[in-house]
Amino acid sequence: MTLTNFISFIGNADLSDPVNFTFFLGTMAMTAASAFFFLSLPQFDSKWRTSILVSGLITFIAAVHYYYMREAATSGGVTTEIRYIDWILTVPLMCVEFYLILKVAGATTKHLSVLIWASLGMLVFGYFGETGFMGGSAALWGLLSGICYFYIAYLVYFGQLAKLAAAAGGSVEKAHKTLTLFVLIGWAIYPLGYMIGTDGWYDFVDAINVNMDVVYNIGDAINKIGFGLVVYAAAVSSK
Ligand SMILES: *C/C=C(C)/C=C/C=C(C)/C=C/C1=C(C)CCCC1(C)C
């Protein structure tokens, strides 16, 4: 981004529009969070450095995509493709965070690949639903996506990963628990946004007059920055 670009980026920010405002704030918050995570790297020993690096990559990838999504949204274009490219990069990285935290407790790359495949299924089905792929309804694709989501939630909350975390105890268990809460509560914001933004749901859902991008932007801020901070806190407390 050149300086002139940056000035016009600020200059044409109509902050009274919630779509524009949340993209603008999202870009700034994700950029600031990335700087925070990257600059904190030297204070941690090598055991934690990869986790903190991944936290920074998640917010940095989002910051770049937010810059382009805001541009698309404010010039009347669609954000769907950029949104899903962002998610397809960042959600698997969140799976990596689970794996890195539980590695000392015995998590294997097999656990990691199951999480990643489930998250890719969740996102690809969601994308199909938003774009009406093969004439399928948003409800049908959303159901398939939701099954993948529940499977991820099951793995981290009840399944093998929960058991590994419980056996490890201490700060590992605590960090795992908090990340799990993000998956159960924070990630539930997305299917809500999806139902608000697509057709074929109950009337009361269709009646909600909030822009889908705004819901997704709030979800991203909570989940991407929150996830990173949980990892950061775990790293600090283990020093
Ligand atoms: C940083 C981005 C994150 C954490 C994105 C998470 C996205 C989801 C958990 C999306 C889930 C969806 C469903 C469970 C059903 C409807 C379609 C989706 C893709 C919105």
Side-chain angles (χ1 to χ4, degrees):
M1 199 190 314
T2 64
L3 184 62
T4 8
N5 265 339
F6 184 71
I7 290 167
S8 74
F9 175 64
I10 304 251
N12 64 16
D14 170 14
L15 298 182
S16 64
D17 167 33
V19 175
N20 193 18
F21 177 70
T22 52
F23 272 127
F24 186 82
L25 196 64
T27 310
M28 290 303 167
M30 298 288 183
T31 306
S34 311
F36 176 79
F37 293 131
F38 290 145
L39 292 172
S40 78
L41 274 173
Q43 86 186 65
F44 298 109
D45 61 26
S46 59
K47 188 162 89 51
W48 281 101
R49 242 176 250 165
T50 319
S51 302
I52 304 287
L53 177 66
V54 172
S55 292
L57 286 175
I58 291 169
T59 50
F60 181 70
I61 291 168
V64 175
H65 285 80
Y66 267 61
Y67 175 77
Y68 288 104
M69 277 194 281
R70 179 182 161 273
E71 210 159 73
T74 51
S75 59
V78 290
T79 55
T80 318
E81 276 70 30
I82 313 177
R83 173 81 70 188
Y84 275 87
I85 293 168
D86 173 335
W87 286 355
I88 272 186
L89 297 170
T90 52
V91 177
L93 284 175
M94 295 171 113
C95 299
V96 170
E97 294 283 37
F98 271 106
Y99 164 71
L100 288 174
I101 283 198
L102 291 179
K103 215 165 105 180
V104 285
T108 63
T109 47
K110 177 135 186 301
H111 293 122
L112 174 61
S113 67
V114 172
L115 279 182
I116 290 181
W117 280 111
S119 72
L120 291 178
M122 175 181 85
L123 296 173
V124 169
F125 289 137
Y127 177 70
F128 286 169
E130 287 196 29
T131 53
F133 184 68
M134 289 192 353
S137 70
L140 173 72
W141 293 120
L143 174 71
L144 294 173
S145 174
I147 291 171
C148 297
Y149 170 50
F150 281 124
Y151 185 56
I152 296 170
Y154 165 79
L155 283 178
V156 296
Y157 194 67
F158 297 110
Q160 284 184 18
L161 293 172
K163 295 195 178 100
L164 290 176
S171 66
V172 169
E173 186 183 15
K174 201 169 146 234
H176 176 81
K177 267 222 171 95
T178 320
L179 291 185
T180 299
L181 287 181
F182 273 96
V183 172
L184 292 181
I185 303 165
W187 287 22
I189 295 170
Y190 298 98
L192 227 79
Y194 177 86
M195 289 197 285
I196 289 172
T198 54
D199 295 325
W201 307 95
Y202 294 108
D203 289 346
F204 79 90
V205 180
D206 291 333
I208 300 173
N209 193 17
V210 183
N211 185 285
M212 181 196 232
D213 271 317
V214 172
V215 181
Y216 286 164
N217 291 352
I218 292 169
D220 277 357
I222 292 173
N223 288 295
K224 290 183 166 62
I225 300 173
F227 229 72
L229 287 175
V230 173
V231 173
Y232 177 84
V236 168
S237 78
S238 82
K239 275 216 282 194

